[in-house]
Amino acid sequence: MTTSVSAILPSSAVTWVHVWRRNFLVWRKLALPSMLGNLADPMIYLFGLGFGLGMMVGQVDGVPYIAFLAAGTVASSVMMSASFESLYSAFSRMHEQRTWDALMHTPLTLGDVLFGEVCWAASKATLSGVAIMIVASALGLTQVDGMLIAVPAVVLAGFAFACIAIVVTALAPGYDFFMFYQTLLLTPMMLLSGVFFPRGQLPQIVQTVSACLPLHHAISLIRPALLGRPVEDGLLHVAVLLGYAVVGLSAAALLLRRRLLG
Protein backbone atom coordinates (compact mmCIF):
# COMPACT_ATOMS: atom_id res chain seq x y z
CA MET A 1 0.00 0.00 0.00
CA THR A 2 1.44 3.34 -0.99
CA THR A 3 1.82 6.08 1.57
CA SER A 4 1.82 8.91 -0.97
CA VAL A 5 -0.78 11.64 -0.98
CA SER A 6 -2.57 9.78 -3.78
CA ALA A 7 -3.45 7.08 -1.24
CA ILE A 8 -6.06 9.36 0.32
CA LEU A 9 -7.90 9.89 -3.00
CA PRO A 10 -10.11 7.44 -4.89
CA SER A 11 -7.95 5.61 -7.40
CA SER A 12 -10.56 6.23 -10.11
CA ALA A 13 -14.04 7.62 -10.57
CA VAL A 14 -15.70 4.22 -10.11
CA THR A 15 -13.53 1.94 -7.95
CA TRP A 16 -15.11 3.21 -4.71
CA VAL A 17 -18.42 1.76 -5.91
CA HIS A 18 -17.15 -1.72 -4.96
CA VAL A 19 -16.95 -0.59 -1.31
CA TRP A 20 -20.45 0.89 -1.53
CA ARG A 21 -21.78 -2.31 -3.09
CA ARG A 22 -20.14 -4.49 -0.45
CA ASN A 23 -21.83 -2.50 2.33
CA PHE A 24 -25.14 -2.58 0.47
CA LEU A 25 -25.06 -6.37 0.10
CA VAL A 26 -24.41 -6.78 3.82
CA TRP A 27 -27.13 -4.29 4.74
CA ARG A 28 -29.64 -5.93 2.40
CA LYS A 29 -29.73 -9.04 4.59
CA LEU A 30 -31.10 -6.97 7.48
CA ALA A 31 -32.71 -4.14 5.52
CA LEU A 32 -36.13 -4.21 7.21
CA PRO A 33 -34.99 -4.06 10.86
CA SER A 34 -32.34 -1.53 9.88
CA MET A 35 -34.94 0.73 8.27
CA LEU A 36 -37.31 0.36 11.22
CA GLY A 37 -34.49 1.31 13.57
CA ASN A 38 -33.64 4.41 11.55
CA LEU A 39 -37.27 5.51 11.32
CA ALA A 40 -38.42 4.79 14.86
CA ASP A 41 -36.79 7.78 16.57
CA PRO A 42 -37.82 10.48 14.05
CA MET A 43 -41.34 9.07 13.82
CA ILE A 44 -41.71 9.24 17.59
CA TYR A 45 -40.70 12.90 17.48
CA LEU A 46 -43.01 13.58 14.53
CA PHE A 47 -46.14 12.00 15.96
CA GLY A 48 -45.47 12.58 19.65
CA LEU A 49 -44.49 16.24 19.44
CA GLY A 50 -46.43 16.95 16.25
CA PHE A 51 -49.82 15.88 17.56
CA GLY A 52 -49.09 16.62 21.22
CA LEU A 53 -47.55 20.09 21.05
CA GLY A 54 -49.39 20.77 17.82
CA MET A 55 -52.70 20.86 19.70
CA MET A 56 -51.34 23.64 21.93
CA VAL A 57 -49.11 25.52 19.51
CA GLY A 58 -51.40 25.62 16.50
CA GLN A 59 -49.57 27.17 13.56
CA VAL A 60 -45.89 28.04 13.19
CA ASP A 61 -44.67 30.21 10.31
CA GLY A 62 -48.09 30.01 8.73
CA VAL A 63 -48.39 26.20 8.68
CA PRO A 64 -49.64 23.62 11.21
CA TYR A 65 -46.94 22.80 13.73
CA ILE A 66 -46.81 19.14 12.69
CA ALA A 67 -46.07 20.18 9.08
CA PHE A 68 -43.34 22.52 10.31
CA LEU A 69 -41.91 19.71 12.44
CA ALA A 70 -42.13 17.11 9.66
CA ALA A 71 -39.80 19.09 7.41
CA GLY A 72 -37.34 19.58 10.25
CA THR A 73 -37.55 15.90 11.16
CA VAL A 74 -36.53 14.93 7.63
CA ALA A 75 -33.33 16.96 7.97
CA SER A 76 -32.53 15.76 11.49
CA SER A 77 -33.14 12.15 10.45
CA VAL A 78 -30.69 12.55 7.58
CA MET A 79 -28.12 13.96 10.01
CA MET A 80 -28.52 11.17 12.53
CA SER A 81 -28.61 8.34 9.99
CA ALA A 82 -25.51 9.54 8.12
CA SER A 83 -23.67 10.21 11.38
CA PHE A 84 -24.42 6.87 13.00
CA GLU A 85 -23.43 4.94 9.88
CA SER A 86 -20.14 6.85 9.61
CA LEU A 87 -19.52 6.46 13.34
CA TYR A 88 -20.53 3.08 14.72
CA SER A 89 -20.80 1.01 11.55
CA ALA A 90 -17.72 2.45 9.86
CA PHE A 91 -15.69 2.08 13.06
CA SER A 92 -16.73 -1.56 13.32
CA ARG A 93 -15.57 -2.21 9.78
CA MET A 94 -12.34 -0.29 10.31
CA HIS A 95 -11.29 -1.30 13.82
CA GLU A 96 -13.19 -4.37 15.02
CA GLN A 97 -13.85 -6.41 11.89
CA ARG A 98 -10.74 -5.22 10.00
CA THR A 99 -12.79 -5.06 6.83
CA TRP A 100 -10.91 -1.99 5.66
CA ASP A 101 -7.59 -3.79 5.98
CA ALA A 102 -8.91 -6.63 3.85
CA LEU A 103 -10.22 -4.21 1.22
CA MET A 104 -6.90 -2.39 1.05
CA HIS A 105 -5.08 -5.67 0.36
CA THR A 106 -6.96 -5.70 -2.93
CA PRO A 107 -6.34 -3.13 -5.69
CA LEU A 108 -8.57 -0.74 -3.71
CA THR A 109 -6.89 2.19 -1.97
CA LEU A 110 -7.68 3.98 1.28
CA GLY A 111 -9.27 6.71 -0.82
CA ASP A 112 -11.60 4.18 -2.42
CA VAL A 113 -12.59 2.78 0.97
CA LEU A 114 -13.15 6.21 2.52
CA PHE A 115 -15.20 7.60 -0.35
CA GLY A 116 -17.21 4.40 -0.61
CA GLU A 117 -17.98 4.57 3.11
CA VAL A 118 -19.23 8.16 3.11
CA CYS A 119 -21.27 7.58 -0.04
CA TRP A 120 -22.85 4.53 1.56
CA ALA A 121 -23.67 6.54 4.71
CA ALA A 122 -25.16 9.27 2.53
CA SER A 123 -27.24 6.65 0.70
CA LYS A 124 -28.68 5.28 3.94
CA ALA A 125 -29.40 8.81 5.12
CA THR A 126 -31.17 9.60 1.86
CA LEU A 127 -33.29 6.47 2.20
CA SER A 128 -34.26 7.49 5.73
CA GLY A 129 -35.11 11.05 4.71
CA VAL A 130 -37.16 9.95 1.70
CA ALA A 131 -39.09 7.43 3.82
CA ILE A 132 -40.10 10.16 6.26
CA MET A 133 -41.07 12.46 3.38
CA ILE A 134 -43.31 9.72 1.97
CA VAL A 135 -45.04 9.27 5.34
CA ALA A 136 -45.43 13.04 5.75
CA SER A 137 -46.80 13.34 2.22
CA ALA A 138 -49.28 10.52 2.84
CA LEU A 139 -50.53 12.48 5.88
CA GLY A 140 -50.86 15.64 3.78
CA LEU A 141 -48.06 17.43 5.65
CA THR A 142 -45.83 18.08 2.64
CA GLN A 143 -46.30 18.75 -1.04
CA VAL A 144 -45.53 15.85 -3.37
CA ASP A 145 -43.83 18.01 -6.01
CA GLY A 146 -41.71 19.58 -3.28
CA MET A 147 -40.24 16.17 -2.51
CA LEU A 148 -38.55 16.14 -5.91
CA ILE A 149 -36.86 19.43 -5.07
CA ALA A 150 -35.95 18.31 -1.56
CA VAL A 151 -34.29 15.01 -2.52
CA PRO A 152 -31.07 16.59 -3.91
CA ALA A 153 -30.78 18.63 -0.71
CA VAL A 154 -31.26 15.44 1.34
CA VAL A 155 -28.47 13.72 -0.62
CA LEU A 156 -26.11 16.67 -0.14
CA ALA A 157 -26.90 16.93 3.56
CA GLY A 158 -26.37 13.20 4.05
CA PHE A 159 -23.00 13.37 2.32
CA ALA A 160 -21.92 16.40 4.37
CA PHE A 161 -22.85 14.83 7.71
CA ALA A 162 -21.18 11.55 6.71
CA CYS A 163 -17.95 13.40 5.91
CA ILE A 164 -18.04 15.23 9.24
CA ALA A 165 -18.73 12.09 11.26
CA ILE A 166 -15.99 10.05 9.59
CA VAL A 167 -13.48 12.55 11.04
CA VAL A 168 -14.62 11.51 14.52
CA THR A 169 -14.27 7.86 13.51
CA ALA A 170 -10.70 8.52 12.39
CA LEU A 171 -9.90 9.91 15.85
CA ALA A 172 -11.91 7.48 17.97
CA PRO A 173 -10.05 5.01 20.23
CA GLY A 174 -13.32 3.16 20.93
CA TYR A 175 -17.11 3.29 20.72
CA ASP A 176 -17.46 5.36 23.91
CA PHE A 177 -15.76 8.25 22.14
CA PHE A 178 -18.82 8.71 19.94
CA MET A 179 -20.99 9.71 22.90
CA PHE A 180 -19.10 13.00 23.12
CA TYR A 181 -19.91 13.79 19.50
CA GLN A 182 -23.53 12.76 19.88
CA THR A 183 -24.12 14.61 23.17
CA LEU A 184 -22.03 17.72 22.62
CA LEU A 185 -22.62 18.32 18.92
CA LEU A 186 -25.52 16.40 17.37
CA THR A 187 -28.07 16.98 20.14
CA PRO A 188 -27.37 20.74 20.51
CA MET A 189 -27.48 21.05 16.72
CA MET A 190 -30.99 19.61 16.69
CA LEU A 191 -32.11 22.11 19.32
CA LEU A 192 -30.47 25.18 17.77
CA SER A 193 -31.04 24.68 14.05
CA GLY A 194 -34.81 25.03 13.82
CA VAL A 195 -35.97 21.42 13.89
CA PHE A 196 -38.53 21.90 16.67
CA PHE A 197 -39.11 25.67 16.64
CA PRO A 198 -38.12 28.68 14.50
CA ARG A 199 -34.58 29.94 15.02
CA GLY A 200 -35.98 33.47 15.27
CA GLN A 201 -37.11 32.70 18.83
CA LEU A 202 -33.51 32.27 19.96
CA PRO A 203 -31.33 35.10 21.31
CA GLN A 204 -29.44 36.91 18.57
CA ILE A 205 -26.03 35.58 19.56
CA VAL A 206 -27.37 32.02 19.53
CA GLN A 207 -28.89 32.62 16.10
CA THR A 208 -25.49 33.77 14.87
CA VAL A 209 -23.85 30.61 16.17
CA SER A 210 -26.56 28.32 14.83
CA ALA A 211 -26.28 29.95 11.39
CA CYS A 212 -22.87 28.28 11.11
CA LEU A 213 -24.20 24.79 11.82
CA PRO A 214 -24.68 22.41 8.87
CA LEU A 215 -28.11 21.28 10.06
CA HIS A 216 -29.41 24.84 9.79
CA HIS A 217 -28.39 24.96 6.13
CA ALA A 218 -29.89 21.54 5.46
CA ILE A 219 -33.20 22.62 7.00
CA SER A 220 -33.10 25.89 5.06
CA LEU A 221 -33.04 23.88 1.84
CA ILE A 222 -35.41 21.05 2.77
CA ARG A 223 -38.19 22.80 4.71
CA PRO A 224 -39.15 25.43 2.08
CA ALA A 225 -39.19 22.77 -0.64
CA LEU A 226 -41.50 20.48 1.33
CA LEU A 227 -43.80 23.36 2.28
CA GLY A 228 -44.00 24.68 -1.29
CA ARG A 229 -42.07 27.87 -0.57
CA PRO A 230 -39.12 29.44 -2.41
CA VAL A 231 -35.68 28.67 -0.99
CA GLU A 232 -33.89 31.82 0.13
CA ASP A 233 -30.11 32.02 -0.28
CA GLY A 234 -30.08 28.53 -1.76
CA LEU A 235 -26.58 28.85 -3.24
CA LEU A 236 -25.22 29.89 0.14
CA HIS A 237 -26.72 26.86 1.87
CA VAL A 238 -25.41 24.52 -0.83
CA ALA A 239 -21.95 26.09 -0.64
CA VAL A 240 -21.79 25.71 3.15
CA LEU A 241 -22.79 22.04 3.03
CA LEU A 242 -20.29 21.40 0.24
CA GLY A 243 -17.64 23.17 2.32
CA TYR A 244 -18.34 20.96 5.32
CA ALA A 245 -18.17 17.90 3.07
CA VAL A 246 -14.87 18.83 1.43
CA VAL A 247 -13.17 19.88 4.65
CA GLY A 248 -14.48 16.84 6.54
CA LEU A 249 -13.49 14.37 3.83
CA SER A 250 -10.02 15.91 3.48
CA ALA A 251 -9.41 15.89 7.24
CA ALA A 252 -10.64 12.31 7.57
CA ALA A 253 -8.42 11.19 4.69
CA LEU A 254 -5.31 12.67 6.28
CA LEU A 255 -6.13 11.30 9.74
CA LEU A 256 -6.92 7.83 8.43
CA ARG A 257 -3.78 7.80 6.33
CA ARG A 258 -1.77 8.47 9.47
CA ARG A 259 -3.74 5.90 11.50
CA LEU A 260 -3.90 3.06 9.01
CA LEU A 261 -0.94 3.55 6.68
CA GLY A 262 1.60 4.93 9.13
Side-chain angles (χ1 to χ4, degrees):
M1 293 180 290
T2 178
T3 57
S4 65
V5 175
S6 62
I8 67 175
L9 302 173
S11 56
S12 76
V14 296
T15 47
W16 60 269
V17 175
H18 297 295
V19 180
W20 184 97
R21 182 174 180 273
R22 181 262 171 204
N23 291 344
F24 168 74
L25 291 176
V26 173
W27 170 83
R28 189 174 64 177
K29 298 176 182 178
L30 298 171
L32 183 58
S34 176
M35 280 296 299
L36 292 177
N38 288 336
L39 291 175
D41 195 50
M43 287 302 178
I44 290 172
Y45 280 116
L46 177 60
F47 291 114
L49 294 179
F51 287 115
L53 286 179
M55 296 295 292
M56 298 183 290
V57 174
Q59 290 197 336
V60 176
D61 283 354
V63 297
Y65 177 69
I66 191 172
F68 176 89
L69 179 63
T73 301
V74 170
S76 64
S77 175
V78 169
M79 177 185 73
M80 298 302 289
S81 180
S83 297
F84 274 59
E85 183 65 26
S86 286
L87 294 172
Y88 294 95
S89 298
F91 185 80
S92 294
R93 291 187 285 268
M94 177 189 71
H95 185 70
E96 300 293 333
Q97 302 169 2
R98 301 291 182 182
T99 303
W100 289 16
D101 286 343
L103 290 171
M104 286 187 290
H105 279 87
T106 71
L108 297 175
T109 67
L110 175 58
D112 296 322
V113 174
L114 175 59
F115 198 73
E117 285 285 347
V118 295
C119 286
W120 168 244
S123 299
K124 283 194 68 177
T126 300
L127 187 60
S128 178
V130 169
I132 295 175
M133 284 194 288
I134 291 174
V135 172
S137 178
L139 295 174
L141 304 177
T142 62
Q143 297 192 6
V144 177
D145 54 349
M147 291 174 57
L148 300 177
I149 302 173
V151 167
V154 166
V155 174
L156 176 59
F159 186 74
F161 284 114
C163 291
I164 297 169
I166 205 74
V167 176
V168 183
T169 298
L171 294 169
Y175 292 107
D176 291 342
F177 189 78
F178 299 138
M179 290 302 299
F180 294 103
Y181 181 67
Q182 182 179 349
T183 303
L184 299 179
L185 289 175
L186 294 183
T187 300
M189 211 183 311
M190 288 181 63
L191 296 175
L192 298 179
S193 298
V195 175
F196 304 109
F197 51 82
R199 289 176 55 252
Q201 297 181 356
L202 298 171
Q204 186 59 48
I205 187 171
V206 179
Q207 292 185 45
T208 302
V209 172
S210 68
C212 301
L213 301 175
L215 184 57
H216 157 66
H217 295 280
I219 291 174
S220 297
L221 290 172
I222 295 170
R223 177 171 282 143
L226 294 181
L227 297 181
R229 297 174 176 177
V231 177
E232 298 180 1
D233 300 321
L235 291 178
L236 171 63
H237 302 311
V238 170
V240 171
L241 290 174
L242 282 174
Y244 270 105
V246 170
V247 172
L249 190 62
S250 301
L254 294 173
L255 291 169
L256 287 169
R257 178 192 172 192
R258 182 183 307 171
R259 176 169 182 165
L260 300 178
L261 302 181

